[in-house]
């Protein structure tokens, strides 16, 4: 075994120079100052910046609709305020007009009162005008002692004023006796008219009666297009002409209305003459409004006169102006005396038949109107046995001549 030599191990470990540690530290420090570019950190930084930019853009997008909504709401509020202001101005304008109208009415009471009068009041006023006409003339003659010629001028002025103010005429309200004073040949006569005829079944029932009943046939319409054919079953018949009523919901087709032109009325009558060859008599179906209007009634009667057709007033209203229009045109005025079947009860219809017979005996002639109800046919079958004793039941053409 060889002996250990002191210092041998140390010599081996000290093969490097003494200042090597110092140099290594210096190099390490220099290396740290010259480190290469870190890619990961740079990527993270860019990512963070992108995210922040994206979030900022998102916030702006969200805020923009809200801002738009806010602007829209503001615009709506502005519009509403504008509308309210306009409404207020209009109301203010209406109030100003009303106040102005009230102020004017103080100076124009007559005009404003006339405008506010209802139709009913107009009718009442018209009636009073008619009643006061003769009194007005008489008073003028007495107080002013004027001549007949001047009185006539005064009357004409009065009538023109009344005509301008009102279109109604009511002297027909109190239907004075319009029948001839001469006794009819062969004694009292009664004509019975049956309105509303439109079917073959009604014609068959009518022809079963042993008394003479004049049918009044509806003009052709959609529901009953061949009514004109029914007229061929009778030697004497009438046409039942629909005229405008005051209160009636089931109006017939081609009804003539108040205010219809002369041309329209003329064409209607021409159509009827074409459908009903040789027609001579017409009466009105409904017509409470039409016959209350003098101008319309006058136009209708004038056309009938030109067509040589005679009109019989069904008197569906006590405001009828048919009398006045007939007088103006120089026509006879024939009218209904009794409605037989306003109540569809056999016993009550028989009572009305007795009333019609009594009127015929008293005045010499009378006209009664009925309808094709079952109860009416039953009552007429009973009455034809002996209810008409003392009067002759005739068609309407045999009675018209006794009216004046």
């Amino acid at each position: 075994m060889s002996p250990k030599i002191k210092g041998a191990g140390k010599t081996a470990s000290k093969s490097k120079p003494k200042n090597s540690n110092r140099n290594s530290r210096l190099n390490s420090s220099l290396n740290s100052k010259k480190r290469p570019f870190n890619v990961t950190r740079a990527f993270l930084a860019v990512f963070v910046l992108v995210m922040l930019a994206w979030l900022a853009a998102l916030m702006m997008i969200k805020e923009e609709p809200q801002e738009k909504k806010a602007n829209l709401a503001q615009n709506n509020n502005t519009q509403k305020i504008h509308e309210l202001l306009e409404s207020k101005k209009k109301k203010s304008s209406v109030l100003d007009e009303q106040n102005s109208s009230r102020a004017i009415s103080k100076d124009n009471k007559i005009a404003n009162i006339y405008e506010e009068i209802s139709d009913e009041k107009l009718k009442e006023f018209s009636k009073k005008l008619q009643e006061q006409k003769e009194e007005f003339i008489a008073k003028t003659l007495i107080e002013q002692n004027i001549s007949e010629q001047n009185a006539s001028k005064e009357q004409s002025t009065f009538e023109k004023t009344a005509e301008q103010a009102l279109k109604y005429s009511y002297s027909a309200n109190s239907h004075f006796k319009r029948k001839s004073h001469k006794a009819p040949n062969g004694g009292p006569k009664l004509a019975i008219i049956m309105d509303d005829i439109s079917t073959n079944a009604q014609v068959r029932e009518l022809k079963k009666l042993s008394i003479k009943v004049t049918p009044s046939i509806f003009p052709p319409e959609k529901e009953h297009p061949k009514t004109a054919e029914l007229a061929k079953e009778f030697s004497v018949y009438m046409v039942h002409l629909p005229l405008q009523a005051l209160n009636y919901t089931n109006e017939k087709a081609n009804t003539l209305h108040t205010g219809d032109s002369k041309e329209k009325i003329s064409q209607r009558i021409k159509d009827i003459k074409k459908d009903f060859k040789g027609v001579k008599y017409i009466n009105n179906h409904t017509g409470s409004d039409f016959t209350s209007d003098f101008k319309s009634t006058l136009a209708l009667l004038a056309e009938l006169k030109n067509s040589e057709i005679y009109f019989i007033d069904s008197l569906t209203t006590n405001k009828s102006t048919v009398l006045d229009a007939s007088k103006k045109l120089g026509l006879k005025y024939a009218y209904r005396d009794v409605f037989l079947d306003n109540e569809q009860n056999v016993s009550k219809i028989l009572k009305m038949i007795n009333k019609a017979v009594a009127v015929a005996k008293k005045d010499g002639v009378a006209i009664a109107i009925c309808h094709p109800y079952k109860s009416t046919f039953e009552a007429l079958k009973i009455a034809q046995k002996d209810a008409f004793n003392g009067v002759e039941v005739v068609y309407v053409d045999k009675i018209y001549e006794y009216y004046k």
Side-chain angles (χ1 to χ4, degrees):
M1 186 172 185
S2 60
K4 290 183 181 181
I5 301 172
K6 291 181 181 179
K10 290 181 180 180
T11 302
S13 63
K14 288 180 182 179
S15 59
K16 293 182 181 180
K18 290 182 179 180
N19 57 351
S20 63
N21 290 334
R22 190 179 298 169
N23 291 335
S24 64
R25 283 195 299 269
L26 181 61
N27 291 331
S28 177
S29 177
L30 291 172
N31 291 334
S32 64
K33 291 180 181 179
K34 298 180 180 180
R35 285 179 182 171
F37 180 74
N38 194 321
V39 177
T40 303
R41 289 182 180 178
F43 177 78
L44 288 173
V46 172
F47 178 76
V48 170
L49 288 173
V50 171
M51 291 298 293
L52 289 173
W54 180 78
L55 288 172
L58 184 62
M59 291 299 292
M60 288 179 67
I61 291 170
K62 288 184 176 180
E63 286 176 1
E64 187 177 355
Q66 291 178 356
E67 185 179 351
K68 286 183 179 179
K69 288 181 180 178
N71 291 335
L72 184 60
Q74 186 177 358
N75 291 337
N76 288 338
N77 290 335
T78 303
Q79 186 178 356
K80 286 180 180 178
I81 291 169
H82 179 72
E83 289 175 354
L84 288 171
L85 288 173
E86 287 296 321
S87 176
K88 188 174 181 180
K89 285 180 182 178
K90 287 181 182 178
K91 288 180 180 178
S92 177
S93 176
V94 170
L95 288 173
D96 288 342
E97 287 179 6
Q98 289 176 349
N99 291 333
S100 176
S101 178
R102 288 171 187 162
I104 292 171
S105 68
K106 292 180 180 178
D107 297 325
N108 301 279
K109 286 183 179 179
I110 295 175
N112 284 335
I113 288 172
Y114 177 77
E115 288 174 0
E116 292 171 2
I117 286 177
S118 65
D119 285 345
E120 198 61 35
K121 289 183 179 178
L122 283 174
K123 293 176 184 179
E124 292 176 6
F125 181 53
S126 176
K127 184 179 178 181
K128 289 179 181 178
L129 285 176
Q130 293 292 343
E131 292 173 351
Q132 291 173 1
K133 187 189 295 181
E134 293 182 3
E135 182 182 350
F136 173 82
I137 301 304
K139 188 176 180 181
T140 303
L141 285 168
I142 294 170
E143 292 182 355
Q144 299 182 14
N145 193 26
I146 59 176
S147 65
E148 273 188 38
Q149 186 176 3
N150 289 336
S152 178
K153 290 180 181 178
E154 292 286 341
Q155 181 175 2
S156 177
T157 301
F158 182 89
E159 289 176 343
K160 285 180 180 178
T161 303
E163 186 177 357
Q164 288 174 356
L166 304 166
K167 66 179 180 179
Y168 298 101
S169 177
Y170 293 105
S171 62
N173 282 351
S174 56
H175 280 83
F176 57 87
K177 192 173 182 179
R178 294 286 296 170
K179 299 164 187 177
S180 176
H181 294 294
K182 68 176 183 178
N185 296 329
K189 300 183 188 301
L190 171 65
I192 300 174
I193 298 169
M194 182 171 283
D195 287 346
D196 298 357
I197 299 299
S198 59
T199 68
N200 286 308
Q202 293 167 347
V203 170
R204 286 194 297 271
E205 286 298 315
L206 190 55
K207 298 192 80 170
K208 288 178 183 179
L209 297 173
S210 61
I211 56 174
K212 296 175 180 178
V213 177
T214 306
S216 191
I217 305 169
F218 273 132
E221 57 177 340
K222 186 177 180 180
E223 293 180 1
H224 303 288
K226 296 183 179 181
T227 55
E229 296 295 318
L230 303 178
K232 297 176 182 179
E233 299 289 330
F234 302 96
S235 59
V236 179
Y237 68 92
M238 301 175 65
V239 170
H240 199 39
L241 180 64
L243 301 178
Q244 182 180 353
L246 284 168
N247 297 297
Y248 190 64
T249 56
N250 191 25
E251 188 176 82
K252 291 289 183 182
N254 297 320
T255 294
L256 288 176
H257 292 90
T258 299
D260 279 347
S261 66
K262 291 181 180 180
E263 291 75 16
K264 184 175 180 180
I265 292 172
S266 176
Q267 187 59 53
R268 185 75 179 112
I269 301 305
K270 287 178 181 177
D271 291 341
I272 286 173
K273 286 184 68 177
K274 182 179 178 181
D275 291 329
F276 296 89
K277 305 295 184 183
V279 60
K280 285 295 180 183
Y281 296 92
I282 279 178
N283 73 331
N284 54 296
H285 171 68
T286 64
S288 55
D289 191 22
F290 189 98
T291 59
S292 294
D293 184 270
F294 178 75
K295 186 177 179 181
S296 298
T297 301
L298 186 65
L300 173 62
L301 294 189
E303 183 59 35
L304 291 175
K305 182 179 180 180
N306 291 336
S307 301
E308 297 183 344
I309 298 175
Y310 306 112
F311 186 80
I312 295 177
D313 189 1
S314 298
L315 263 181
T316 54
T317 173
N318 62 357
K319 307 295 185 183
S320 172
T321 61
V322 178
L323 171 60
D324 289 336
S326 299
K327 287 170 64 178
K328 189 172 182 66
L329 295 169
L331 298 170
K332 292 177 180 290
Y333 176 62
Y335 56 93
R336 179 270 313 163
D337 289 283
V338 181
F339 272 127
L340 298 181
D341 51 8
N342 279 339
E343 295 184 69
Q344 295 176 41
N345 177 283
V346 173
S347 62
K348 290 184 178 180
I349 294 171
L350 287 169
K351 288 181 181 179
M352 297 309 292
I353 290 172
N354 290 334
K355 181 179 179 179
V357 170
V359 173
K361 288 179 178 179
K362 177 177 175 291
D363 294 344
V365 292
I367 294 176
I369 288 180
C370 62
H371 302 83
Y373 304 135
K374 182 179 178 181
S375 54
T376 302
F377 283 117
E378 290 179 9
L380 288 173
K381 287 175 184 177
I382 295 170
Q384 67 188 7
K385 296 176 181 178
D386 55 12
F388 299 107
N389 290 340
V391 298
E392 182 184 4
V393 180
V394 297
Y395 290 124
V396 74
D397 64 328
K398 299 299 182 182
I399 203 172
Y400 186 81
E401 63 178 295
Y402 296 105
Y403 287 82
K404 60 180 182 180

